Amino acid sequence: MSSLTKQRSVQQDFREKMDEDELLNCMRCGFCLPACPTYIETGKEYYSPRGRIALMKAVRDGMIDAYEEVEHTLNVCLGCRACEPVCPAGVKYGHLLEEARHIFEQHKARSLPVKAVRKTVFEGLFPHQSRMQAATSLVGFYQRSGLQKVARKIGFLKLFPKMMAEMEKILPDVPKKKEMKGRRRHFPPIGEKKATVAFFAGCLMDTLFLKTNENTIRLLQLAGCEVVVPENQGCCGALHGHSGEKEKAKELAKRNIEAFEQTDADHIVLNAGGCGGYLVDYDHLLKDEKDWRERAKRFKNKVKDMTEILVELEFHKNVPLHLPGQILTYQDSCHLRNVMGVHDAPRKLLQAIEGAAFVELEGADKCCGSAGIYNILQPEMANQILDHKMEKVKMTNACTIVTTNPGCLMQMKMGIERHGLSGTMRAVHIADLLMEASVEKGNMGLQ
């Protein structure tokens, strides 16, 4: 395809697929600027939401043909959507960003090796939980067999990019494959039944972070929930959607909708803010498909974060929570806060823990730099954002950083390592911390 033909094709797709009304809704007021992490770090207009929207509109109107530069600008965006809550016009920037990325991806000429890697990841791995379990179990074998100790001792990890070596240090202890496969699908409430919930297990959460999922289910049981875990559910599709693989994301959305429709649950509950932000956007993802859009809306209306359910059922008032004296602080999950609108619930739960003091983190609403796989694809910007985040964390004097998303958890652990704080500070998922706090009061052996 010639350069001119490609330009015309991209422009045509922008005209047909980009929401012109949404593009025009941006008033260029600048309210988004102080909320945007990449604008804060660079001070450059084209790294701001309004700047990126202006570039999208310029492509659509045929006023610009430097598509590689435009695509790079969009890829530097974290997709945290912090611009949306502060936008007086209510522009759905996240929807525009994903559509633009999808269009560019459709017209991108990738090398055969890159195509093979993307096909393996997006089609061969994440949509298939059994393969996720197999891949994750290899990491577990590396940890348990002694290979990890040997690799660290001889300096083998120095042969890999610095980011990969840092990631290896903060991986959680991976469960055995038989533990991942032998999970139950139904859990009765502890005490009086107050609700029936269907648990969205996720892909990485149900492998790499299986213990956190188990703790989440136990907390829901303690809150009086009957918990069902639909067997045919799978990856939420966020990784695909954020990477321009829109059609594959749709397939995964439909699969999850079908799986949860088979339950008679009051709510669909999850413990990963990144997944939640994508699940509640299923109605937008499938808006052009007549047979699915209403089903997607019904699905969306049932989705809740675990912290919302726990607070609604007054878990923090009915279950004694206690920890040894320590300062806690909380880093918001961007999509939990900016897309799902959950701000107060996690803080109420943390403030209810006796023996611990909660200190608000300045800039907790700002992205930590994880953003899915952003810290792998854009390590320089991600680390710059993380280093500034850690300076704020230090000001709290906290020894425990609490998160509500696996990516945030890994990123904050990375920050602790980078700043030499591993001996005095830890990062934990809120489900694990709450379970730890309830275990202090003797709530062991939940069934």
Side-chain angles (χ1 to χ4, degrees):
M1 183 185 293
S2 69
S3 176
L4 181 58
T5 302
K6 178 181 177 180
Q7 289 174 12
R8 288 174 177 172
S9 183
V10 170
Q11 182 186 2
Q12 184 63 30
D13 274 0
F14 263 72
R15 285 179 175 174
E16 292 177 358
K17 298 176 181 179
M18 296 297 292
D19 188 332
E20 183 179 17
D21 291 337
E22 203 68 68
L23 288 171
L24 293 174
N25 277 343
C26 177
M27 303 183 296
R28 314 291 192 266
C29 65
F31 275 74
C32 59
L33 301 183
C36 176
T38 52
Y39 177 78
I40 292 171
E41 294 296 333
T42 65
K44 295 178 179 178
E45 182 70 25
Y46 53 80
Y47 284 151
S48 74
R50 73 174 181 184
R52 292 182 174 110
I53 290 175
L55 289 174
M56 293 180 210
K57 189 174 185 301
V59 172
R60 186 187 184 281
D61 295 342
M63 298 176 64
I64 189 171
D65 56 13
Y67 293 160
E68 288 187 4
E69 289 85 348
V70 174
E71 184 181 11
H72 170 72
T73 300
L74 299 183
N75 288 339
V76 172
C77 176
L78 291 141
C80 69
R81 296 172 70 168
C83 51
E84 293 186 16
V86 300
C87 178
V91 175
K92 296 297 183 183
Y93 170 81
H95 296 167
L96 293 172
L97 175 67
E98 291 201 354
E99 193 63 61
R101 283 177 171 173
H102 173 64
I103 293 171
F104 279 126
E105 182 59 35
Q106 300 310 299
H107 293 274
K108 199 169 189 66
R110 294 194 179 275
S111 65
L112 287 177
V114 171
K115 285 182 180 179
V117 169
R118 288 181 67 91
K119 186 175 181 65
T120 298
V121 172
F122 293 126
E123 297 183 30
L125 183 59
F126 278 88
H128 307 281
Q129 196 63 5
S130 62
R131 296 176 190 174
M132 288 290 293
Q133 292 169 349
T136 307
S137 65
L138 292 176
V139 179
F141 175 78
Y142 165 75
Q143 293 174 330
R144 291 186 294 271
S145 66
L147 285 174
Q148 184 179 57
K149 291 181 180 179
V150 172
R152 290 178 176 180
K153 187 174 182 179
I154 66 175
F156 179 70
L157 295 171
K158 293 179 181 178
L159 300 176
F160 293 88
K162 184 179 179 181
M163 173 62 71
M164 288 184 65
E166 290 177 341
M167 290 289 286
E168 189 271 349
K169 289 182 181 180
I170 60 172
L171 286 173
D173 292 334
V174 178
K176 295 179 180 179
K177 190 174 182 179
K178 64 180 181 180
E179 295 178 66
M180 292 184 266
K181 283 185 170 295
R183 64 140 58 253
R184 292 163 53 195
R185 297 290 168 181
H186 179 264
F187 301 81
I190 304 294
E192 178 190 355
K193 178 180 175 179
K194 298 179 180 178
T196 299
V197 302
F199 182 60
F200 181 81
C203 48
L204 277 178
M205 287 304 299
D206 218 36
T207 50
L208 205 59
F209 299 95
L210 180 63
K211 187 63 178 178
T212 301
N213 270 4
E214 292 175 343
N215 283 339
T216 302
I217 291 172
R218 290 183 181 125
L219 293 170
L220 292 169
Q221 288 179 277
L222 274 174
C225 293
E226 177 183 7
V227 185
V228 295
V229 186
E231 189 169 2
N232 295 323
Q233 64 175 297
C235 175
C236 68
L239 177 63
H240 301 77
H242 299 333
S243 303
E245 300 285 342
K246 185 177 179 180
E247 295 309 312
K248 179 57 68 175
K250 286 184 176 182
E251 290 178 23
L252 293 168
K254 292 172 184 177
R255 171 182 168 183
N256 285 324
I257 291 170
E258 286 182 331
F260 282 88
E261 282 178 339
Q262 296 175 22
T263 71
D264 191 27
D266 304 308
H267 306 289
I268 298 169
V269 180
L270 68 153
N271 58 9
C275 295
Y278 207 70
L279 294 180
V280 298
D281 259 354
Y282 275 4
D283 61 332
H284 173 76
L285 182 65
L286 300 172
K287 64 182 175 63
D288 296 325
E289 300 198 28
K290 181 180 178 181
D291 295 335
W292 285 96
R293 55 179 176 243
E294 290 303 320
R295 295 168 71 178
K297 286 180 183 178
R298 288 194 294 271
F299 177 93
K300 168 186 178 175
N301 291 335
K302 285 190 173 186
V303 174
K304 284 183 178 290
D305 184 69
M306 59 160 286
T307 60
E308 292 182 278
I309 292 294
L310 293 180
V311 170
E312 286 179 13
L313 298 181
E314 299 189 325
F315 164 86
H316 56 309
K317 296 179 181 180
N318 298 323
V319 176
L321 300 170
H322 183 271
L323 286 173
Q326 59 189 282
I327 295 177
L328 311 174
T329 195
Y330 174 67
Q331 167 62 28
D332 283 285
S333 156
C334 292
H335 289 107
L336 181 60
R337 179 171 181 140
N338 300 327
V339 184
M340 295 185 72
V342 178
H343 168 274
D344 294 336
R347 290 169 169 81
K348 287 181 179 179
L349 293 169
L350 297 176
Q351 290 165 353
I353 300 175
E354 295 179 7
F358 176 76
V359 175
E360 184 67 40
L361 172 63
E362 182 183 344
D365 59 330
K366 298 293 189 296
C367 186
C368 64
S370 171
I373 56 173
Y374 183 91
N375 54 358
I376 298 173
L377 300 177
Q378 303 285 344
E380 184 177 347
M381 180 64 76
N383 286 335
Q384 190 173 322
I385 292 170
L386 176 59
D387 287 339
H388 290 157
K389 175 69 66 177
M390 291 307 299
E391 293 304 321
K392 300 295 185 183
V393 169
K394 292 175 189 176
M395 293 168 58
T396 67
N397 293 317
C399 65
T400 302
I401 310 171
V402 185
T403 72
T404 44
N405 188 61
C408 303
L409 176 62
M410 299 285 279
Q411 185 76 341
M412 298 314 296
K413 284 185 175 183
M414 183 90 74
I416 291 171
E417 287 289 333
R418 282 173 60 86
H419 286 254
L421 300 170
S422 57
T424 58
M425 187 181 291
R426 63 173 179 161
V428 297
H429 190 285
I430 193 169
D432 298 324
L433 186 74
L434 291 173
M435 198 63 212
E436 179 185 332
S438 66
V439 166
E440 290 286 329
K441 289 294 183 178
N443 290 312
M444 294 290 290
L446 301 181
Q447 301 298 318

